[in-house]
Amino acid sequence: MAADCAIILVGDNPAALDALVAPVRQRLSRAGWSRKSHDPFIQVFAPTGGRLEVARGLDGHGVVIGEIYDREGQALSLRARGALGCRRLDAAQARTVCSDHWGRYLLVRRVEGDVAVLRDPSGALDCVVWRKAGVTLISTTAVAVIDPWLPDGIALDWDAVAALVGRPGEHRHRLALTGLQAVAGGELRLIGEGVNRAQQIWRPAEVYRDRASRPAPDLREAVERSVRALAADRRWIAEISGGLDSAIVAGVLTADQRRSVAAWVNHYVDQPEGDERDYARAVAGRHGFTLTEVRRDGLRLDAARLAACAETFRPAANDIDPDYNDDITDRIEATGGWGSLTGQGGDAVFFQMPSLLIGLDELWERRGRARLAVLHRLSRWLRRPLWPTALARDWREEVRHRAGWDHPWLDDMRGVPPAKALQMSALAFCQTFQGPAVRSRLGPCVNPLLSQPVVEAGLALSAVDLTWGGRDRAAARAAFADVLPPSILDRRSKGELGAYYGGAVAAHLDFLRGYLLGGALAEAGLIDPGLEGRLTRDALLWRGGHSHLLSLALTEAWVRRWRERLDSRIP
């Protein structure tokens, strides 16, 4: 169970709603859930001590789940959210909401007997919808307490499971469960008896295409507004990795907000390339706080730990480092923290990816006015010549890569140059970081650099501007130079934990061999016959592949858990 759990039930009529809820009320209560909102047509249930706020529409026909802000970063009052829940939710209104507001929210509204659902463009809260017995259900969570409400005939979609196995660890929008529909960030879905239509109201490509009609983005202002609003005056466990992005988040908090952080945590390993304490200490020294340094020594990897993160709508790719997540959870519990605050997503938003495609963007956007100096600096940064054949090769590879995209954000890429398309695919992958993990069990994991205002600012700037002078995240470095220690501002390397994770996974090869080769995926014929040869210490340490094995184990755990849940259902 996660702190962001909630399930909304909207009945075609009050009798259908009551008939579905009544048999489950005691089960919910025993599991620590309570009813947060109760109207004749709409009821909302969530953990009694959860973190999600519920604002009922003032007329009883709508509800807003979560936190929502205006464009200045002011949180809407409970009454203002209730008023928002009263308005007709069609495509025009959904565009207005996405334009005038942002946050971590779901907006639900009855519309002429059907149900309209709008998920905030950042995708901070999961959202899955289905129908059962005259009721529309909208859930942020897949915990077992909702099993009686799952649709009749639900089953594992083995074609979709095969896709998960083929590219484990990637965020796949499509669920591998029949009868359930995932709602994408920025999507408006209308669902009811015989009705199930989706319209993508917000997508990255449209932000890029509309950039000329909007004021030039202020990256610094967008980050400050989002970080400070989301942090509010709560008590956080904050990650200080030693990298640029978490240093920016720490740097833009107000002094009062920094003082309210319960722990500034840096995880390090013994290998020099994975020990970033000097950089993290520089951030702590710059802002006058104490750093909590946590030495890592191996991974806890067994069937029980994997099962703990498997009650999700997708394999829990955000739980790929179980020891990190367990440590953050323990600290939230020990300090009474609200949740955890990270810098995840900055690599995509600020453009960390070194690529010749940036040169193609310069040619695409400026055509005959393309600047040779930009191409020269890019060539020096990448240490590769920008010959036409090299650019064409990278462009063909990018086109080939697009065939594997699985997200509604990436369906319409008209007018988007190749490096910008690369950034958008990275942002779609970053939905992984918004997904559930054990660390979000007691408090939400909040990633302010993936908030809508920050993402839109990054999308509205060209890849060339974001990497100006041939430097990753150059625009971000310039915007936050005054809050960053010189060692991080000037840093050109990133921490590397491949050797550490390789050794940590190698210590569990006996377990992984039995778990994967004798598991549900192997039984379904989805395990590559060559996997056994890669499950050796030498192969892992010399050829890598630890993340593939960890992600595959998470997928195996997810399939086992869902097969168990579905097998236990009463026919």
Side-chain angles (χ1 to χ4, degrees):
M1 184 163 59
D4 283 341
C5 285
I7 185 163
I8 307 162
L9 300 96
V10 186
D12 294 350
N13 55 69
L17 181 58
D18 288 340
L20 195 66
V21 168
V24 185
R25 283 289 307 278
Q26 288 188 350
R27 174 190 175 110
L28 289 166
S29 180
R30 289 194 299 269
W33 285 56
S34 58
R35 187 159 51 187
K36 303 291 186 178
S37 181
H38 182 197
D39 286 296
F41 286 92
I42 302 178
Q43 296 188 33
V44 181
F45 291 86
T48 302
R51 298 288 195 248
L52 281 183
E53 294 182 342
V54 178
R56 62 176 294 274
L58 300 180
D59 63 353
H61 291 275
V63 66
V64 179
I65 303 292
E67 301 167 356
I68 186 165
Y69 308 88
D70 63 22
R71 278 293 171 173
E72 283 67 52
Q74 296 298 312
L76 267 63
S77 68
L78 193 65
R79 182 172 182 81
R81 280 176 281 158
L84 195 62
C86 283
R87 297 172 189 165
R88 178 181 177 86
L89 186 54
D90 55 13
Q93 173 65 4
R95 290 190 181 91
T96 298
V97 173
C98 291
S99 175
D100 295 348
H101 302 89
W102 62 277
R104 307 174 69 250
Y105 66 88
L106 302 179
L107 175 57
V108 177
R109 175 76 186 171
R110 292 187 69 243
V111 179
E112 297 173 354
D114 298 321
V115 182
V117 182
L118 176 65
R119 185 183 180 193
D120 100 78
S122 78
L125 300 180
D126 204 357
C127 182
V128 173
V129 301
W130 66 94
R131 292 273 300 171
K132 185 180 178 75
V135 177
T136 296
L137 299 99
I138 305 104
S139 185
T140 70
T141 180
V143 293
V145 72
I146 71 170
D147 282 4
W149 286 337
L150 290 174
D152 299 329
I154 184 174
L156 285 164
D157 180 340
W158 287 103
D159 288 339
V161 172
L164 291 171
V165 173
R167 301 178 72 166
E170 293 192 10
H171 178 83
R172 297 193 68 83
H173 176 71
R174 175 186 170 189
L175 300 178
L177 293 162
T178 62
L180 305 179
Q181 285 84 41
V183 178
E187 177 187 309
L188 175 67
R189 184 172 289 268
L190 186 68
I191 184 169
E193 184 63 36
V195 177
N196 193 345
R197 296 196 303 271
Q199 184 173 356
Q200 197 62 41
I201 299 298
W202 182 99
R203 55 166 50 97
E206 290 179 0
V207 176
Y208 174 78
R209 287 192 290 261
D210 293 345
R211 68 195 186 284
S213 64
R214 302 181 180 185
D218 185 332
L219 196 60
R220 172 72 174 256
E221 187 277 332
V223 172
E224 287 183 343
R225 173 165 34 110
S226 296
V227 171
R228 292 171 182 176
L230 290 167
D233 56 356
R234 293 165 175 160
R235 190 167 174 80
W236 295 96
I237 304 298
E239 172 193 288
I240 298 295
S241 67
L244 177 71
D245 305 323
S246 62
I248 287 173
V249 172
V252 301
L253 289 170
T254 68
D256 285 343
Q257 287 175 327
R258 279 196 289 268
R259 282 192 290 269
S260 71
V261 169
W264 301 86
V265 181
N266 172 265
H267 287 227
Y268 72 95
V269 301
D270 289 339
Q271 290 90 340
E273 65 274 15
D275 184 352
E276 299 189 85
R277 283 177 294 172
D278 286 346
Y279 297 106
R281 288 167 181 168
V283 177
R286 173 71 177 76
H287 301 295
F289 56 75
T290 301
L291 189 67
T292 299
E293 299 173 359
V294 181
R295 179 179 176 272
R296 299 291 303 279
D297 184 16
L299 290 175
R300 178 190 168 194
L301 197 59
D302 54 38
R305 179 58 181 83
L306 289 168
C309 61
E311 290 195 355
T312 50
F313 286 119
R314 301 175 182 83
N318 201 21
D319 231 344
I320 196 169
D321 188 337
D323 287 50
Y324 170 85
N325 287 329
D326 289 346
D327 178 75
I328 297 298
T329 300
D330 291 344
R331 294 182 189 282
I332 292 172
E333 185 171 29
T335 63
W338 178 264
S340 57
L341 201 63
T342 87
Q344 287 183 309
D347 282 357
V349 176
F350 300 146
F351 210 102
Q352 188 273 333
M353 302 80 74
S355 173
L356 285 182
L357 297 178
I358 298 169
L360 285 176
D361 278 29
E362 174 71 6
L363 298 170
W364 181 302
E365 293 175 336
R366 298 179 66 87
R367 292 178 168 79
R369 298 180 295 111
R371 295 157 293 189
L372 292 178
V374 169
L375 303 179
H376 176 65
R377 290 167 183 158
L378 177 62
S379 179
R380 291 184 58 188
W381 174 26
L382 303 179
R383 298 180 181 176
R384 291 180 61 189
L386 267 68
W387 299 115
T389 53
L391 290 170
R393 183 176 60 249
D394 281 25
W395 171 237
R396 287 195 301 270
E397 177 63 22
E398 176 62 21
V399 170
R400 186 193 65 78
H401 180 66
R402 292 187 186 198
W405 287 354
D406 173 48
H407 200 285
W409 284 358
L410 308 175
D411 287 346
D412 177 10
M413 304 295 281
R414 291 174 294 107
V416 177
K420 210 65 189 173
L422 175 65
Q423 182 188 31
M424 293 174 191
S425 70
L427 287 169
F429 172 81
C430 285
Q431 288 291 286
T432 297
F433 304 141
Q434 306 280 45
V438 166
R439 67 176 164 183
S440 58
R441 178 172 58 86
L442 299 178
C445 176
V446 176
N447 310 300
L449 299 185
L450 289 174
S451 64
Q452 183 183 344
V454 179
V455 168
E456 289 181 344
L459 288 168
L461 291 167
S462 72
V464 174
D465 288 337
L466 289 168
T467 59
W468 185 253
R471 186 80 188 278
D472 74 275
R473 298 170 288 182
R477 293 176 195 275
F480 300 101
D482 62 314
V483 300
L484 297 171
S487 59
I488 288 182
L489 182 64
D490 299 331
R491 185 180 181 186
R492 290 187 175 270
S493 64
K494 284 181 68 70
E496 173 53 56
L497 291 169
Y500 168 76
Y501 284 121
V505 173
H508 295 282
L509 283 175
D510 287 344
F511 161 71
L512 286 170
R513 191 175 293 108
Y515 192 72
L516 294 175
L517 300 181
L521 296 175
E523 182 182 325
L526 298 179
I527 291 294
D528 180 357
L531 179 65
E532 186 170 6
R534 299 197 296 274
L535 286 166
T536 67
R537 184 175 182 84
D538 285 347
L540 196 60
L541 295 181
W542 289 103
R543 287 183 285 178
H546 65 273
S547 61
H548 180 273
L549 292 179
L550 287 171
S551 297
L552 201 58
L554 290 168
T555 303
E556 170 71 28
W558 183 85
V559 170
R560 289 188 186 199
R561 180 64 183 119
W562 272 98
R563 193 168 66 172
E564 176 186 279
R565 291 171 69 171
L566 298 178
D567 286 348
S568 68
R569 287 171 62 83
I570 299 174

